[in-house]
Amino acid sequence: MIPSCRTVAGLEEKGFDAAILGCACDPGLPALREISRKMLVMGAGTASYLTAAMLGNRFGVLTIDRSMVQTCYDLAHRAGCAAKLAAVEPIEIPVLSLSQDYGRTME
């Protein structure tokens, strides 16, 4: 069992009601939901997309690089809000550099 699956199973055994997958593209979310029998498992990406779709007519997504663009469109489709996703724009800055190079991040 992969570590995140073990973690979710352990939280459920301890009586937790919910868990949030803290990665923007929700990797492994379907698998985590599959192993959870009673506990809600939500992805940060899905929650963000649904909130944006609820609050606005159209929304856009900034992602770290080109390799993640299709993943973002796929996530919008799985979340049921692909029709409201106007664009996905890569910023071409690695995740760890976002906090280390404030000037480049803010460009």
Side-chain angles (χ1 to χ4, degrees):
M1 188 181 296
I2 61 173
S4 56
C5 289
R6 276 194 296 273
T7 300
V8 165
L11 293 173
E12 188 171 54
E13 285 176 15
K14 291 178 182 176
F16 282 66
D17 296 316
I20 299 171
L21 177 59
C23 185
C25 289
D26 298 346
L29 182 60
L32 296 175
R33 286 179 169 166
E34 187 175 323
I35 66 162
S36 177
R37 294 179 301 276
K38 299 179 281 184
M39 188 173 70
L40 169 69
V41 181
M42 189 67 182
T46 301
S48 298
Y49 283 39
L50 291 173
T51 301
M54 179 179 60
L55 296 176
N57 187 40
R58 310 240 8 236
F59 68 96
V61 174
L62 297 177
T63 188
I64 56 169
D65 62 43
R66 287 182 186 94
S67 70
M68 298 306 296
V69 170
Q70 188 58 51
T71 301
C72 293
Y73 281 108
D74 293 345
L75 180 56
H77 178 74
R78 285 193 312 274
C81 58
K84 288 194 166 195
L85 178 57
V88 177
E89 294 292 331
I91 59 174
E92 301 300 338
I93 301 174
V95 171
L96 297 178
S97 296
L98 291 172
S99 63
Q100 296 169 349
D101 190 348
Y102 183 78
R104 184 169 174 220
T105 299
M106 298 308 292
E107 286 178 2

